[in-house]
């Protein structure tokens, strides 16, 4: 008997926002398969599940067979989803950030609550968190913590990391960060939250992947196709918001320097004026939904355009430090 389905954040609001669900959809962040299952149950003819983490496909073996050829699983990154999909699609769903499954595996190195190797790679390739932290200049580490994690004590923490090198365990890093910050008050997040988030984003180039993935979704979607993106991080949501505004021409009118007639034909329309959050029932059942925001765009028949990462507010480092 298959396990009970994993229910991802904002699944109900997402499915309601993209009705009717039909044709071929891409779940670009397959994870535990919750969105893919939801789309299939709502009427999608086929879902292509993409994930950079090979472990998620082994976990899906217990239940994926019940959908037959309606579910196709592909290892890769959603920044390449237009090529991996193999043709025009009717919808794209992206759930950004790290999954609870990955946090629950100490050997993956994502969690500051469970000691493990200082890895944080979602796909297992490229430099690990330890590789980057042990070789990057102090200024680069400080920039990562500040730009990717909005960590105000970034310089102090970067200096302590460099002084403690070499690092190899998540517990080491968590202790270093906690030693640089005041003890949290009741109800405040763990002191390592922002630093671990920033380093994970750095290791996996998550912001760069997001910009490329949004552009890939624009190329892949047929007219009338729907793009739905769930984000948990204010910087991620800012990138998604600016992308949808820019590609729908809703970021403001023209000026005497850039008249309206000179602007590109909009590639998306926006069915909702604001991002959609969790309702009270979901918040009570899943506190992780508190910071989640859903944004939806509907593809027009306009040609896919070029995406400017700087215009989307993408935080840019002077160097990777690897």
């Amino acid at each position: 008997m298959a396990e009970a389905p994993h229910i991802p954040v904002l699944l109900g609001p997402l499915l309601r926002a993209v009705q009717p669900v039909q044709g071929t959809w891409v779940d670009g962040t397959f994870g535990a398969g919750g969105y893919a299952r939801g789309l299939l149950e709502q009427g999608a003819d086929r879902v292509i599940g993409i994930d950079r983490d090979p472990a998620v496909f082994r976990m899906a073996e217990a239940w994926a067979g019940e959908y037959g050829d309606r579910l196709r699983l592909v290892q890769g990154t959603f920044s390449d989803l237009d090529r991996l999909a193999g043709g025009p699609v009717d919808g794209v769903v992206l759930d950004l950030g790290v999954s609870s499954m990955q946090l629950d595996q100490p050997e993956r190195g994502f969690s500051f609550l469970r000691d493990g190797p200082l890895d944080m790679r979602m796909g297992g390739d490229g430099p690990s968190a330890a590789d980057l932290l042990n070789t990057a200049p102090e200024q680069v580490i400080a920039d990562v913590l500040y730009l990717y994690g909005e960590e105000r004590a970034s310089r102090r923490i970067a200096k302590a990391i460099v002084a403690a090198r070499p690092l190899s365990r998540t517990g080491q890093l968590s202790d270093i960060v906690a030693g640089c910050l005041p003890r949290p008050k009741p109800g405040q997040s763990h002191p390592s939250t922002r630093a671990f988030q920033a380093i994970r984003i750095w290791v996996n180039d998550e912001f760069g992947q997001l910009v490329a993935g949004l552009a890939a979704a624009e190329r892949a979607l047929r007219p009338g196709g729907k793009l739905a993106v769930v984000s948990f991080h204010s910087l991620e949501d800012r990138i998604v918001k600016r992308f949808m505004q820019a590609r729908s021409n809703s970021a403001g009118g023209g000026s005497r320097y850039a008249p309206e007639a000179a602007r590109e034909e909009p590639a998306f329309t926006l069915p909702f004026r604001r991002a959609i959050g969790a309702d009270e029932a979901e918040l009570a059942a899943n506190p992780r939904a508190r910071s989640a925001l859903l944004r939806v765009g509907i593809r027009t028949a306009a040609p896919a355009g070029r995406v400017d990462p700087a215009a989307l507010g993408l935080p840019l480092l002077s160097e990777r430090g690897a």
Side-chain angles (χ1 to χ4, degrees):
M1 183 175 176
E3 296 179 10
H6 167 76
I7 305 299
V9 169
L10 295 181
L11 175 62
L14 186 149
L15 293 174
R16 290 191 291 273
V18 299
Q19 290 293 333
V21 178
Q22 55 194 11
T24 298
W25 283 68
V26 171
D27 180 351
T29 48
F30 181 74
Y35 288 113
R37 281 179 157 180
L39 291 165
L40 289 165
E41 298 295 338
Q42 285 289 309
D45 297 326
R46 187 169 70 131
V47 171
I48 302 164
I50 299 171
D51 207 295
R52 67 201 299 185
D53 184 352
V56 305
F57 301 123
R58 293 192 292 271
M59 295 178 66
E61 289 174 357
W63 58 267
E66 65 192 73
Y67 296 101
D69 58 7
R70 295 178 63 209
L71 177 62
R72 180 164 73 90
L73 303 181
V74 183
Q75 185 178 351
T77 58
F78 63 71
S79 58
D80 202 21
L81 70 85
D82 54 332
R83 184 186 66 81
L84 296 175
V89 299
D90 298 280
V92 173
V93 173
L94 301 176
D95 176 15
L96 308 177
V98 67
S99 75
S100 56
M101 293 188 310
Q102 291 166 328
L103 289 174
D104 290 340
Q105 298 171 320
E107 67 274 14
R108 302 298 301 275
F110 291 106
S111 177
F112 44 78
L113 298 175
R114 301 173 176 86
D115 185 48
L118 190 52
D119 194 318
M120 299 195 192
R121 292 173 296 179
M122 290 184 180
D125 54 347
S128 67
D131 294 331
L132 293 175
L133 291 172
N134 287 330
T135 58
E138 181 178 320
Q139 184 59 52
V140 170
I141 297 172
D143 287 348
V144 166
L145 297 173
Y146 184 75
L147 294 173
Y148 291 177
E150 300 177 304
E151 174 54 74
R152 287 178 291 182
S154 57
R155 292 184 181 180
R156 191 183 320 142
I157 295 170
K159 184 174 183 179
I161 286 172
V162 170
R165 295 199 293 210
L167 280 67
S168 62
R169 307 288 296 181
T170 56
Q172 277 180 286
L173 177 59
S174 184
D175 288 345
I176 291 167
V177 174
C180 295
L181 296 171
R183 185 184 297 274
K185 297 176 182 176
Q188 288 185 328
S189 60
H190 191 284
S192 294
T193 302
R194 290 185 296 273
F196 269 66
Q197 170 187 278
I199 294 164
R200 187 204 78 223
I201 289 170
W202 184 31
V203 168
N204 296 288
D205 186 27
E206 290 179 37
F207 289 151
Q209 288 286 318
L210 173 55
V211 172
L214 293 170
E218 182 175 317
R219 294 190 298 268
L221 286 164
R222 57 171 49 97
K226 295 149 189 170
L227 171 62
V229 186
V230 175
S231 60
F232 295 85
H233 184 298
S234 60
L235 295 177
E236 287 173 341
D237 179 62
R238 184 177 71 187
I239 292 169
V240 176
K241 177 181 178 180
R242 289 186 179 181
F243 170 82
M244 290 192 175
Q245 287 179 336
R247 306 307 295 147
S248 65
N249 284 355
S250 63
S255 70
R256 59 181 174 161
Y257 304 109
E260 197 77 32
R263 302 174 76 183
E264 288 184 20
E265 187 180 353
F268 287 91
T269 59
L270 305 183
F272 305 101
R273 292 185 60 190
R274 292 185 174 86
I276 298 170
D279 60 21
E280 294 297 328
E282 182 167 3
L283 288 172
N286 183 5
R288 182 172 176 257
R290 184 180 65 253
S291 60
L293 291 173
L294 165 67
R295 295 188 185 272
V296 178
I298 301 176
R299 189 72 169 88
T300 70
R306 189 182 67 85
V307 176
D308 178 8
L312 302 185
L314 180 71
L316 298 176
L317 301 176
S318 57
E319 57 179 302
R320 183 173 171 83

